[in-house]
Amino acid sequence: MRKDRESDTAEPRTMDQDPVVQGILKAISQKRLKPGTKLGEDALAQVFETTRIHIRQVLAHLVSRHIVTHFPNRGAFIYRPTVQEARDIFAARRVLETATVNAVMDNLTAEARSMLKRHIGRESGHDRNDRWASLALTADFHILIAELAGNGVLLDFAKELMLRTSLAIATFEVPGSPDCSPDAHPVIVDLMLAGDRAGALSAMNRHLDEIEHRLHLGATAPDPDDIVAIFQDIGVGPISRGAA
Ligand SMILES: [Zn+2]
């Protein structure tokens, strides 16, 4: 009954588990791969010791996930969100994370409580000077809440939004600023564990507002759909043609 169109691409769910996909996503979430970075097929095939066909499948999948953009004849690049998309990402996160916090609080089992506490323990015990590791750890907090919400679809959305947030932050952040304010997560967890639903929801929303407000999304930012700026950013210039 399914339409027979999966012949040339793997199932999206399977591709999410692909080790090359995972490797690229990890590098993005740790801000090592920046927006606008070219993803050369040969280089990636070499890094992961796989075929170019495999790399092409991976890149096509990441294009479908809004993580990579592909320009004909130029290749694949880490996606660079526009100002409007950055705002939309945070608006979507406020909706989604309101839902996940609510769902967790609807069913706050002993196991969920201990996992939340354990995560906060890991964050506070972590060496904050290790920027890369702490970035991944603070993103994990939001993913953990989505996992505890017990809805696989919400979890998929949460994972995608966290990655797109990483791209937005990497594109628009003021240099040197942290992703998640270090003290926000324990406050949110304390309110959740105390059963203060309204307090937890407003703390989460405040936290997302703070992250968004640290970005340079001001009036001087380029037009949301300014593809000229996008092409300049990735070093794509005029096509040199013969007399045509
Ligand atoms: Zn956070």
Side-chain angles (χ1 to χ4, degrees):
M1 249 135 323
R2 301 192 45 180
K3 282 189 184 145
D4 186 24
R5 51 182 288 274
E6 61 251 14
S7 49
D8 53 344
T9 51
E11 283 289 318
R13 276 195 174 280
T14 316
M15 283 305 288
D16 276 339
Q17 309 306 322
D18 182 283
V20 180
V21 170
Q22 293 288 322
I24 292 173
L25 297 187
K26 185 178 178 195
I28 291 170
S29 68
Q30 298 190 359
K31 305 269 175 59
R32 302 215 180 174
L33 272 179
K34 304 242 183 219
T37 303
K38 179 163 178 156
L39 297 172
E41 287 178 10
D42 286 332
L44 287 173
Q46 222 171 1
V47 168
F48 292 100
E49 294 185 0
T50 184
T51 62
R52 285 182 60 160
I53 291 172
H54 179 197
I55 295 298
R56 264 179 230 143
Q57 281 182 337
V58 164
L59 294 176
H61 177 69
L62 292 172
V63 168
S64 78
R65 284 281 196 260
H66 312 284
I67 302 303
V68 165
T69 188
H70 185 266
F71 297 107
N73 303 321
R74 296 292 308 185
F77 297 80
I78 301 291
Y79 190 71
R80 218 180 136 78
T82 63
V83 170
Q84 186 59 48
E85 279 167 337
R87 291 206 173 97
D88 290 350
I89 286 164
F90 281 97
R93 279 191 63 177
R94 280 188 281 272
V95 173
L96 184 115
E97 300 201 42
T98 295
T100 53
V101 168
N102 261 319
V104 173
M105 294 196 69
D106 284 342
N107 186 26
L108 202 51
T109 61
E111 194 192 358
R113 288 172 171 275
S114 74
M115 285 176 82
L116 286 167
K117 282 186 204 156
R118 209 178 318 142
H119 182 88
I120 295 301
R122 279 173 63 212
E123 277 193 15
S124 63
H126 196 78
D127 177 6
R128 286 195 184 129
N129 293 322
D130 186 350
R131 174 169 161 83
W132 306 119
S134 66
L135 275 178
L137 200 54
T138 52
D140 282 352
F141 172 70
H142 297 266
I143 300 292
L144 172 63
I145 289 181
E147 276 168 357
L148 294 175
N151 179 326
V153 176
L154 282 183
L155 178 58
D156 281 348
F157 283 135
K159 285 179 176 169
E160 179 172 322
L161 279 173
M162 289 308 297
L163 280 166
R164 295 178 75 178
T165 302
S166 291
L167 293 181
I169 291 173
T171 303
F172 297 109
E173 78 178 334
V174 183
S177 62
D179 274 25
C180 279
S181 31
D183 301 325
H185 295 173
V187 170
I188 295 166
V189 166
D190 282 348
L191 290 163
M192 289 174 77
L193 295 182
D196 183 350
R197 186 183 294 255
L201 290 172
S202 76
M204 177 62 90
N205 276 293
R206 227 172 21 247
H207 174 46
L208 294 174
D209 284 346
E210 280 169 10
I211 303 171
E212 182 177 358
H213 289 152
R214 276 202 302 273
L215 304 186
H216 261 316
L217 302 177
T220 54
D223 188 81
D225 294 311
D226 184 1
I227 65 163
V228 173
I230 293 173
F231 282 112
Q232 276 171 352
D233 284 340
I234 61 168
V236 177
I239 301 167
S240 54
R241 292 186 181 189

